[in-house]
């Protein structure tokens, strides 16, 4: 039976999985949600015997019901291959009593790779299934991480091109080097003389430009987005929670039927929502511990039931979580309102008009398995140092926010249920912050000297993603004003 998807803001439209993947966002601005979350067909014991790729198929076939077995298996095989530096794809590492689920073994050493390595294949397959003959052009504005992960995912994927705009003076030197050295004839990286908001606004204007869409269509192109609200990114993230739980059972770390808690360093709320879906599929998860940095909108939301983005935006050492509007939260709001699109749309209107909304007690009761807290910058650094000194294991700043919040939760509640903690980035991605947390003396060293020092200290080899950019030639040097973005796109497409 086919599973359909509905918009969180309008209940009348139902689309197939491939249509939802192609569209990304619904016409009414809502997010696509499956009509029901399917139950796993295999027991945890059976799943425990499966590889990551086999687990991925078990999960995805239930969500993407209009894909054939051959189509899905091909997407999975192309995504989870030797781009990952470990065959298990998402290893679990035990340190100080917590299971760190390492989601950073892909091409750009951060967890975005888990979904962005398969999204291009889901998209091109969806295009084929819906008789879209145009080439798909991915447009992305990035503040650093997503851009590189999307470039790596789409590079040399037939039937696609990708254009990434980044603020020329607003990303770290390593992030910029990662992007401008990107290979692949279908990739194009452009620096904007402006900030991230300028890049983001410019991209939104291009998406909304009907005249441009017509010109592109005539030349055989259409835009699409690799944004984190696409269900083609959300569903692949459910897989690793299923896989992690099955591995714990296999290794005898949990017993049959035993529940676990998950802790997730959260920004846009996609990763933790995937864990929530995993529970609804039948994975025994008790609590969802939502960890924020000093941009603690979500932490306060789970404490009070009020979402309020009216506050100062804080730049932290965990930049991928510096977010005041967590777009994927909308799906939880919708579901806890009893899949009531009208109610949800009213909250979202409040959010865009006043920057805040307050949910009902009933809805709060639906979210009782969620717990929110945050870590300050100092607490985050202390957590990295303490874990390293106790165990020798080095974690990145985002993961450290989660580890700190995990400790706060356990102390506050006395709940010491076994924990799977989503480890979202390699420490090599945020080397300077990580090394400074361990010892202030490192601040004087250059970026690459720090990389070597971290490798020695943590006793792990420098990841390929970092090794490559030491020597890689710059392949992209286009810089433009935000007014020129449209022309730059047309030129790249040869129109
Ligand atoms: C994107 C990102 C996050 C936040 O994940 P969401 O799904 O947006 O909540 C956390 N850590 C890292 C390293 C990331 O890149």
């Amino acid at each position: 039976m086919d599973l359909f998807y509905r918009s969180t803001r309008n209940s009348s439209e139902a689309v197939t999985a491939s249509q939802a993947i192609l569209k990304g966002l619904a016409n009414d601005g809502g997010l696509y949600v499956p009509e029901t979350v399917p139950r796993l067909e295999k027991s945890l014991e059976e799943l425990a015997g499966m590889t990551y790729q086999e687990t991925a198929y078990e999960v995805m076939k239930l969500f993407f019901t209009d894909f054939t077995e051959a189509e899905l298996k091909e997407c999975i095989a192309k995504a989870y291959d030797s781009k990952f530096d470990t065959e298990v794809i998402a290893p679990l590492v035990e340190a100080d009593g917590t299971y760190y689920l390492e989601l950073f073994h892909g091409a750009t050493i951060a967890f975005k790779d888990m979904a962005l390595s398969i999204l291009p294949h889901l998209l091109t397959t969806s295009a084929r299934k819906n008789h879209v003959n145009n080439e798909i052009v991915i447009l992305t504005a990035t503040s650093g991480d997503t851009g590189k992960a999307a470039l790596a995912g789409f590079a040399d994927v037939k039937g696609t091109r990708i254009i990434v705009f980044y603020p020329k003076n607003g990303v770290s030197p390593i992030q910029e080097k990662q992007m401008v050295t990107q290979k692949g004839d279908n990739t194009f990286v452009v620096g904007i003389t402006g900030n991230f908001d300028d890049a983001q606004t410019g991209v939104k204007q291009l998406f909304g430009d009907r005249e441009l869409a017509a010109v592109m269509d005539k030349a055989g192109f259409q835009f699409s987005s690799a944004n984190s609200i696409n269900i083609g990114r959300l569903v692949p993230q459910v897989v690793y929670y299923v896989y992690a739980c099955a591995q714990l059972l296999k290794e005898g770390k949990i017993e049959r039927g035993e529940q676990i808690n998950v802790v997730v360093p959260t920004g846009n709320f996609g990763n933790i929502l995937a864990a929530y879906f995993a529970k609804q599929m039948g994975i025994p998860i008790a609590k969802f511990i939502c960890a924020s940095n000093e941009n603690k909108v979500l932490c306060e939301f789970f404490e009070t039931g009020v979402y309020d983005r009216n506050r100062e935006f804080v730049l932290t050492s965990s930049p991928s979580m510096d977010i005041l509007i967590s777009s994927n939260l909308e799906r939880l709001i919708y579901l806890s309102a009893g899949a009531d699109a009208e109610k949800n749309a009213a909250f979202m209107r409040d959010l865009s008009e006043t920057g805040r909304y307050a949910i009902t007690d009933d809805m709060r009761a639906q979210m009782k398995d969620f717990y929110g807290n945050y870590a300050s910058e100092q607490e985050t650094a202390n957590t990295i140092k303490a874990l390293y000194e106790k165990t020798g294991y080095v974690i990145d700043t985002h993961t450290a926010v989660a580890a700190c919040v995990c400790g706060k939760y356990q102390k506050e509640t006395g709940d010491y249920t076994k924990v799977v903690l989503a480890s979202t980035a390699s420490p090599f991605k945020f080397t300077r912050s990580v090394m400074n947390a361990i010892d202030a003396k490192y601040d004087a060293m250059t970026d690459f000297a720090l990389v070597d020092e971290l490798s020695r200290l943590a006793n792990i080899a420098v990841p390929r993603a970092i090794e490559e950019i030491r020597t890689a030639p710059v392949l992209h040097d286009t810089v433009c004003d935000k007014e020129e973005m449209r022309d730059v796109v047309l030129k790249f497409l040869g129109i």
Side-chain angles (χ1 to χ4, degrees), residues 77 138 246 271 285 344 401 430 442:
I138 300 294
N271 201 358
I285 300 173
N344 173 66
V401 166
F430 300 94
Y442 291 122

Side-chain angles (χ1 to χ4, degrees), residues 71-103:
E71 284 169 343
L72 255 190
K73 286 190 168 164
E74 192 187 339
C75 290
I76 290 166
K78 283 177 171 168
Y80 304 111
D81 61 6
S82 60
K83 286 191 287 301
F84 286 77
D85 67 9
T86 162
E87 267 177 31
V88 298
I89 308 293
L92 273 171
V93 175
E94 188 176 355
D96 197 23
T98 292
Y99 298 100
Y100 287 84
L101 176 59
E102 294 189 348
L103 303 174

Side-chain angles (χ1 to χ4, degrees), residues 243-264:
Y243 183 69
C245 211
Q247 292 306 304
L248 287 177
L249 184 71
K250 180 177 167 183
E251 288 165 19
K253 308 282 188 182
I254 57 169
E255 285 166 33
R256 211 178 140 186
E258 183 176 345
Q259 293 200 310
I260 56 165
N261 287 340
V262 299
V263 187
V264 185

Side-chain angles (χ1 to χ4, degrees), residues 109-112 145-146 228 233-234 237 240 264-273 291 298 318-321 323 326 328 396-399 422-426 429-430:
I109 58 176
F111 106 98
K112 303 282 190 295
D145 277 352
T146 305
S228 88
R233 278 184 65 178
L234 191 59
Q237 294 178 179
Y240 46 74
V264 185
T266 299
N268 239 334
F269 209 74
N271 201 358
I272 196 166
L273 189 73
L298 286 166
S318 45
S320 302
M321 297 158 68
I323 283 175
S326 294
N328 272 296
D396 100 292
T397 45
H398 302 75
T399 308
S423 180
T424 51
S426 157
K429 189 132 194 176
F430 300 94

